[in-house]
Amino acid sequence: MATCKDCKSFFAREDDRSQGDCVMRVVDPRQAYYQATPVETEKDASKCSSFQKK
Amino acid sequence: MGQRTAQTEKALSVDELANRREWWSVAQKTRSKRLDYLRKGVWKKGAIGGNYAPGIKIDLTLPQLFTEKWQEQEGEPIMLQKAHAIAHVLDNIPIFITDRSQIMGYIGSAPHQIVWHWQGISMVNEEIYNEEGIIPEPEEESLEILATLNDYWGGRTAVDKLARILDPEDAVKFMSGAIGWGTPTSAATYSTKDFTYIFKGFEALLAEIEERMEETEQKLQGNPSPQLLPLYDKLPRWEAMQIVLEASIRYAKRYARLARTLAEHFESDPTRKEELLRIAETCERVPAKPPRNLQESLQFDHFVQVLARYETFEGAWPHRPDYVHGPYYDKDVNQEKRLTKEEALDLVGEHLIRTYEVGIFAPKWAREGLQGITGTWVWTMGGVKPDGSDACNDMTIAYMQAARLVRVSNPTFGFRWHPKVKDEVLRECFECIRHGLGYPSMRNDPVLVANTVHWYGHPVEEARTWVHQACMSPCPTTKYGCQPMRMASATANCAKMIEYALHDGYDPVVNMQMGPKTGDPRQFKDFEEFFGAWVKQMEWLRNILVRTVNLGRVKDPEFFGRPFLSAIYERAVETGTDACDPSNGERGNAWVTGFTWVENADSLAAIKKFVYDEKKYTMDQLMEALNANWVGYEEMRLDFVKNAPKWGNDDDYVDDLMVRCLREVSRHAKENKCPSNNNWPLLPENVSGNIHYANLVGALPNGRRLGDALYDGGISPGPGLDKKGPTAVLKSCGKFDHVTDGRAFLLNQRLSPTQLSGEKGYQLWKAYMKTWADLGLDHVQFNMVDDATLRAAQKDPEKYQEVIVRVAGYSAHFVDISRKTQDNIIQRTVQGLG
Amino acid sequence: MKCTECAFEAPIGKFRYLYNARIDSSISMRQCPQCEQWLAVDELLGEAQDAVHPGEAPWGKSAGIEGLAGDSQG
Ligand code: SF4
């Protein structure tokens, strides 16, 4: 089963490898930004439409 | 402005554009690429004519995260329960870094989102279902989340709890919406912040808390006594403070981590890479430790403001950023030359933009009273240091220059004028006004320092640290001076004083007996009897508002709880109390905001002259005309408007009545006491309350009908009724004492941009300001946009998106306010100076 | 009173009173109940004068140096 850690958008935390940031590029109608959402390293990625294999 | 194509605009030089007063184009041409990108990238969060802009959505992640943790911690003391919930939000809410930005922190998961603070009033929470366009997609799913949240919070919000202990009659009258504005709770509030304390760094505050806790635990091991018992309640409060401070440091470090990730894995441009690494270093440093440079001090500041707004809806932004950040600017730009002036200006400009982008959901009635903006974020500039010497610095100038470059309508500035202000700084103020920003408002510092000492007994050195607590009221930023909660929920719709005096305490608009029965005015034998009725109605109106706020205030720590604010309040840290607990030494700085005040003087003058002195009309005739809303009495109405004396024309007949009213209120202000046992002076001003109350105040003897906008200022004459020129306005306003006759007095004036162009214009304005200061007025603010531009903007709002006007205690983009407010602004007299 | 746009006729009170942007003028804004057009109404005559569109000010210019007097006192 693919988990977040297998995803290109996943960046593990150095202080706690079981957690990480899901970093996404967002371009909205006004500005562009990078958004980070905390995720668990072993979170099931099968239902994530943004999953991209590392 | 904006009439031509972008191509022709480019062809015009900055000077040509300035001559045409096309200030938005001037700004676009002169600001850096970074500021241009950031300014254009901002999502407008203030409601446009009462509605949110397309694309704006409420953030549901925040209340969900908060509520899930809150429920887990059920049963804990409220501050501790809340601290856990806030920490959970700060650890898990998505964060973002906008391209080219250097200052981090936002309340919400994405730039187009606004926070919906759900802990205030269930009734307001229910209103969200009727809001079009702001429910996030997929809407059905969001509505389900909202319903679950509302089901849980129904009956549990701060005001729900307060409502259960309010006197039922008071509650009905308060909730009628006719007499007061706002709710006495920290759920909709604002707070002064003492950055000399906060900038010690959160680690230092944590150490202080730790020390207090150890000390207390030791005491608890001693001889048992009743004195020890309250200490048990302090421990969980300190623990709550620790939890939020630690979470705040972690929140900042999440930005540091993201910035580093971007620098290492995403960014190819070496300059931006370097910036990202600097952002990372900054967010690792602050708010944990004291700032060392301008970027760190601005970042620390912004984190504090954002964190406070994660805790609750802080609708004002009491701050004195030039004073707080000036030393860091000086170090970076002048001494160590770590930053160029332009680089510093980028940071300062972004500070304004980051503040402007903050959005918090407000119900429709609140948006109507505060059209076009999220809150009254009036930043204080200039003034004096505690020793009385000039406090203006390079940062004062940088903020003024940056304001002209980014042209945001929020925050605005209030400038503390004093006799030692240098000409170069005064010119900067004038340039902002001339550029049509409507700010800074000008505040008379010596008068307001004396006023702050007079009303509350703040020591003069502390009074000199004052900031605008909201739009107008000064508050010291000291340990015992800081005000932690919005007490101005005692906001009185003052036109009701005269209306109730005319109707025996009955409200003909909401159809209920509100004030005391002071008698049928048709039976009054003379003006003194009528005035006596007015005094009784005035006292009643103030009393009901003040007692409600006093109760809300003392109950706030029990009903709401503010762990974050407490953690950054020295007196709360020292005593292990909630910042809002009035027993922790707050000196008191409460005031009653007086909306729709001037109608009283004009109406009393009309009654005195026509009914009692000249006996031109009987009271019976007047009451008939008022009861008919003047319909069918147009000739009589125009007589009351044109031939009765009007405030603002240096006419003692009406001016004396104004002074008499103010003195009655000031007497009563000392009889009313706040929970710190201090006074409740009146502060006449309107935000856009004069429009909000237009349909809640009936016909009055000054000639207005139900539906007409009320006068716009706190002591501004009625629009178009000041016929004798600007000096006469100032003279009228100078007839009462701005120290002892009230807390502060808002005066709107409109000036002609044509007349005030060039050096001559500056000199004319400076001479006007001298008269203003000599007469001892405490406030004045200006609109300097001509009729033609404003009418054109009404016609073609798309092309005039960036025209800013001064509404009342705040500025707004002209196209974002309702037509009625627009017309009200246009109809203000354009004063010719000189 | 008669609406200048759709000719709807009714007593003045049936036309919703909006506001009088200038208190010292007898011109007020009312709304026709039929076509919903904003109308400039002379309250003295009880007559609708014209439709009011964005950017129009039937009560004239602002007081002061945009229209009336300047500073008479110095
Ligand atoms: S949540 Fe989805 S996009 Fe984000 S890291 Fe996990 S799998 Fe990747």
Side-chain angles (χ1 to χ4, degrees):
Chain A
M1 177 187 77
T3 63
C4 283
K5 73 169 181 304
D6 307 312
C7 176
K8 260 189 184 170
S9 303
F10 180 81
F11 297 88
R13 280 173 57 167
E14 270 166 28
D15 56 341
D16 179 359
R17 308 299 292 182
S18 70
Q19 310 275 330
D21 288 324
C22 165
V23 178
M24 306 288 280
R25 174 79 173 156
V26 184
V27 181
D28 77 19
R30 300 194 69 89
Q31 59 176 272
Y33 57 92
Y34 290 95
Q35 190 182 43
T37 309
V39 284
E40 282 176 16
T41 310
E42 295 301 339
K43 187 184 140 193
D44 178 6
S46 60
K47 286 199 191 82
C48 179
S49 56
S50 307
F51 176 80
Q52 276 183 289
K53 191 141 180 53
K54 253 183 194 152
Chain B
M1 182 184 289
Q3 300 252 39
R4 301 173 316 276
T5 62
Q7 223 173 5
T8 41
E9 231 159 57
K10 254 192 199 132
L12 290 174
S13 71
V14 170
D15 283 350
E16 283 166 327
L17 289 166
N19 283 338
R20 292 160 180 256
R21 295 192 292 278
E22 297 188 10
W23 302 116
W24 174 250
S25 306
V26 170
Q28 284 189 103
K29 278 202 153 200
T30 44
R31 64 194 174 201
S32 69
K33 285 206 172 83
R34 185 202 309 274
L35 284 184
D36 197 52
Y37 177 80
L38 294 175
R39 176 63 182 84
K40 287 176 178 162
V42 180
W43 286 83
K44 190 180 268 189
K45 306 293 165 45
I48 302 167
N51 296 314
Y52 286 107
I56 298 292
K57 303 285 173 194
I58 52 164
D59 187 348
L60 287 176
T61 314
L62 200 170
Q64 277 179 288
L65 284 169
F66 184 99
T67 307
E68 77 192 23
K69 195 68 182 175
W70 175 268
Q71 287 173 324
E72 252 177 49
Q73 307 293 129
E74 207 110 42
E76 284 188 334
I78 190 162
M79 220 159 110
L80 196 54
Q81 187 181 10
K82 187 166 282 184
H84 282 296
I86 292 172
H88 186 60
V89 171
L90 296 179
D91 286 336
N92 291 292
I93 189 116
I95 58 166
F96 62 90
I97 296 181
T98 299
D99 288 4
R100 300 187 191 210
S101 70
Q102 299 185 93
I103 300 176
M104 306 294 111
Y106 183 70
I107 311 137
S109 316
H112 67 291
Q113 292 185 336
I114 54 173
V115 178
W116 163 56
H117 272 298
W118 62 97
Q119 303 169 67
I121 320 175
S122 302
M123 233 163 64
V124 170
N125 290 349
E126 297 291 333
E127 276 182 37
I128 205 142
Y129 298 120
N130 303 324
E131 293 283 346
E132 267 176 43
I134 63 166
I135 310 291
E137 301 288 344
E139 208 173 294
E140 213 166 302
E141 205 176 289
S142 298
L143 286 170
E144 239 170 72
I145 295 170
L146 271 169
T148 313
L149 287 165
N150 277 345
D151 278 354
Y152 176 77
W153 285 99
R156 287 185 166 92
T157 66
V159 173
D160 295 352
K161 291 178 198 165
L162 183 65
R164 289 199 274 271
I165 59 162
L166 271 184
D167 175 284
E169 200 180 314
D170 278 7
V172 170
K173 289 176 179 174
F174 200 77
M175 292 303 191
S176 73
I179 53 169
W181 205 58
T183 43
T185 165
S186 275
T189 188
Y190 37 75
S191 60
T192 339
K193 296 177 183 74
D194 174 6
F195 278 91
T196 51
Y197 181 67
I198 296 168
F199 269 11
K200 286 174 156 186
F202 286 5
E203 284 177 358
L205 305 191
L206 279 163
E208 207 176 316
I209 292 167
E210 188 61 41
E211 212 175 292
R212 300 267 167 212
M213 288 177 85
E214 275 171 21
E215 222 175 71
T216 304
E217 274 158 3
Q218 261 176 21
K219 274 189 198 157
L220 286 170
Q221 296 304 313
N223 273 338
S225 75
Q227 284 74 31
L228 294 188
L229 294 175
L231 300 184
Y232 287 101
D233 288 338
K234 292 177 188 277
L235 289 170
R237 291 191 206 113
W238 275 316
E239 193 189 336
M241 296 182 208
Q242 283 179 323
I243 290 168
V244 281
L245 287 177
E246 281 162 2
S248 301
I249 295 171
R250 289 198 300 275
Y251 172 72
K253 290 196 171 164
R254 288 180 59 203
Y255 280 99
R257 203 163 65 224
L258 176 58
R260 222 172 268 290
T261 304
L262 298 183
E264 283 163 11
H265 300 278
F266 291 81
E267 193 55 63
S268 52
D269 172 19
T271 314
R272 181 61 181 160
K273 212 174 215 180
E274 208 179 293
E275 278 173 13
L276 285 164
L277 291 173
R278 199 175 317 121
I279 291 167
E281 193 191 331
T282 303
C283 297
E284 268 150 15
R285 170 89 193 173
V286 295
K289 294 183 166 57
R292 296 164 300 188
N293 55 50
L294 185 61
Q295 184 160 349
E296 287 178 0
S297 73
L298 290 169
Q299 182 61 73
F300 196 146
D301 173 359
H302 196 59
F303 273 144
V304 167
Q305 303 290 358
V306 163
L307 290 161
R309 284 165 183 79
Y310 266 111
E311 184 164 274
T312 190
F313 185 157
E314 288 215 1
W317 204 299
H319 200 10
R320 199 181 173 195
D322 59 340
Y323 191 70
V324 170
H325 302 295
Y328 301 95
Y329 180 100
D330 187 51
K331 182 173 170 240
D332 280 7
V333 179
N334 301 329
Q335 293 171 32
E336 295 178 3
K337 312 231 180 289
R338 189 181 160 270
L339 288 177
T340 63
K341 273 192 176 174
E342 290 69 32
E343 285 167 339
L345 211 53
D346 259 16
L347 285 168
V348 176
E350 186 177 346
H351 189 208
L352 296 171
I353 291 169
R354 292 277 87 91
T355 305
Y356 177 59
E357 82 172 341
V358 170
I360 308 175
F361 171 79
K364 203 156 178 102
W365 58 264
R367 301 200 302 262
E368 262 174 25
L370 217 57
Q371 292 174 35
I373 57 164
T374 299
T376 49
W377 299 339
V378 182
W379 288 0
T380 307
M381 300 281 165
V384 294
K385 296 176 187 167
D387 65 4
S389 60
D390 182 18
C392 296
N393 57 38
D394 286 352
M395 221 28 193
T396 318
I397 293 176
Y399 273 110
M400 301 276 179
Q401 293 177 343
R404 301 201 291 277
L405 292 176
V406 300
R407 294 185 65 82
V408 291
S409 56
N410 215 6
T412 66
F413 306 150
F415 182 77
R416 288 173 50 180
W417 174 91
H418 58 83
K420 291 175 220 153
V421 169
K422 292 193 186 101
D423 192 61
E424 100 184 271
V425 178
L426 206 57
R427 276 177 191 274
E428 290 292 340
C429 296
F430 179 67
E431 279 311 309
C432 288
I433 297 166
R434 175 150 59 190
H435 282 221
L437 293 175
Y439 58 89
S441 62
M442 301 301 285
R443 308 305 308 273
N444 193 331
D445 206 42
V447 167
L448 287 165
V449 169
N451 179 301
T452 303
V453 173
H454 168 81
W455 281 104
Y456 313 108
H458 293 298
V460 69
E461 296 76 17
E462 290 192 38
R464 285 176 179 145
T465 67
W466 75 267
V467 293
H468 292 76
Q469 180 72 1
C471 313
M472 289 283 291
S473 184
C475 186
T477 56
T478 55
K479 182 175 172 185
Y480 296 113
C482 279
Q483 193 178 25
M485 183 175 146
R486 177 177 185 261
M487 301 291 278
S489 299
T491 289
N493 179 14
C494 293
K496 289 290 175 190
M497 296 169 183
I498 184 76
E499 195 178 11
Y500 294 168
L502 284 161
H503 295 277
D504 196 13
Y506 188 79
D507 192 314
V509 183
V510 296
N511 283 320
M512 63 192 277
Q513 185 70 34
M514 296 286 275
K517 283 186 164 278
T518 44
D520 180 349
R522 294 173 186 89
Q523 312 301 325
F524 293 164
K525 56 184 183 310
D526 55 21
F527 179 73
E528 286 312 303
E529 207 177 335
F530 187 87
F531 191 75
W534 181 88
V535 171
K536 286 205 185 94
Q537 297 297 344
M538 175 274 288
E539 289 181 348
W540 170 83
L541 181 51
R542 285 178 46 95
N543 285 348
I544 184 174
L545 297 172
V546 165
R547 68 173 168 258
T548 309
V549 175
N550 278 352
L551 179 61
R553 172 64 195 273
V554 290
K555 287 291 186 185
D556 198 65
E558 184 186 330
F559 292 167
F560 194 80
R562 296 214 55 186
F564 178 75
L565 188 71
S566 305
I568 58 168
Y569 258 49
E570 188 175 4
R571 60 177 195 253
V573 168
E574 197 173 283
T575 55
T577 53
D578 187 304
C580 294
D581 184 337
S583 74
N584 64 19
E586 185 195 349
R587 205 173 285 119
N589 199 69
W591 72 91
V592 173
T593 299
F595 282 180
T596 65
W597 167 251
V598 180
E599 278 76 4
N600 287 289
D602 277 4
S603 297
L604 285 166
I607 291 169
K608 184 170 188 296
K609 184 175 157 84
F610 285 158
V611 178
Y612 295 107
D613 289 359
E614 294 179 359
K615 300 192 176 19
K616 189 170 180 182
Y617 301 94
T618 63
M619 185 59 92
D620 204 31
Q621 283 173 306
L622 175 60
M623 291 310 296
E624 255 179 49
L626 295 180
N627 289 336
N629 199 24
W630 293 107
V631 175
Y633 297 86
E634 185 60 12
E635 218 163 310
M636 179 179 169
R637 189 189 76 80
L638 287 172
D639 198 20
F640 271 73
V641 175
K642 293 182 176 174
N643 300 320
K646 291 286 178 290
W647 169 250
N649 292 289
D650 191 17
D651 178 343
D652 284 344
Y653 191 94
V654 53
D655 296 357
D656 287 352
L657 278 168
M658 170 67 102
V659 178
R660 191 174 173 195
C661 290
L662 285 171
R663 300 227 160 119
E664 282 294 340
V665 177
S666 291
R667 167 196 51 77
H668 189 248
K670 290 181 180 156
E671 291 162 11
N672 284 153
K673 294 293 174 196
C674 75
S676 306
N677 203 26
N678 217 328
N679 303 317
W680 275 95
L682 183 75
L683 195 161
E685 66 143 330
N686 284 297
V687 266
S688 20
N690 63 318
I691 304 295
H692 171 74
Y693 282 124
N695 293 314
L696 284 166
V697 176
L700 293 179
N702 69 329
R704 79 172 290 278
R705 297 186 189 89
L706 172 70
D708 289 341
L710 292 126
Y711 300 168
D712 52 274
I715 51 165
S716 306
L721 297 177
D722 40 353
K723 309 261 187 214
K724 298 254 175 75
T727 314
V729 174
L730 294 181
K731 281 186 175 166
S732 284
C733 296
K735 283 181 188 169
F736 58 86
D737 189 333
H738 288 241
V739 174
T740 58
D741 288 333
R743 185 61 178 118
F745 304 87
L746 186 143
L747 176 62
N748 283 323
Q749 290 287 270
R750 237 186 117 193
L751 302 175
S752 157
T754 327
Q755 192 196 19
L756 296 185
S757 61
E759 177 62 18
K760 189 171 156 260
Y762 172 63
Q763 295 303 338
L764 278 173
W765 178 79
K766 203 174 156 187
Y768 171 90
M769 289 307 298
K770 186 175 178 317
T771 311
W772 167 84
D774 289 349
L775 286 166
L777 273 63
D778 72 283
H779 172 276
V780 66
Q781 61 191 9
F782 307 98
N783 266 312
M784 225 192 274
V785 188
D786 57 25
D787 273 20
T789 305
L790 298 179
R791 288 288 174 213
Q794 282 188 324
K795 209 173 220 157
D796 199 351
E798 273 306 306
K799 282 191 184 164
Y800 291 82
Q801 285 289 322
E802 299 299 338
V803 172
I804 292 176
V805 286
R806 193 69 178 172
V807 181
Y810 71 96
S811 293
H813 286 95
F814 185 70
V815 298
D816 296 350
I817 58 183
S818 70
R819 163 95 201 224
K820 192 169 181 171
T821 315
Q822 291 176 341
D823 282 343
N824 182 258
I825 289 169
I826 297 173
Q827 289 312 319
R828 294 177 193 170
T829 305
V830 183
Q831 302 287 12
L833 303 185
Chain C
M1 193 170 84
K2 194 170 174 181
C3 173
T4 55
E5 291 300 286
C6 71
F8 172 77
E9 247 184 296
I12 190 168
K14 295 273 175 216
F15 290 75
R16 188 163 76 96
Y17 182 77
L18 297 170
Y19 59 94
N20 180 345
R22 184 143 169 189
I23 197 170
D24 59 351
S25 158
S26 63
I27 308 293
S28 68
M29 303 251 241
R30 289 181 181 264
Q31 191 173 25
C32 172
Q34 184 166 284
C35 67
E36 297 191 350
Q37 177 62 49
W38 285 26
L39 302 167
V41 174
D42 188 324
E43 299 284 334
L44 218 47
L45 304 172
E47 268 176 21
Q49 294 197 319
D50 218 339
V52 183
H53 300 105
E56 291 172 359
W59 44 83
K61 285 180 170 183
S62 311
I65 59 171
E66 284 275 343
L68 306 172
D71 191 349
S72 61
Q73 303 205 358

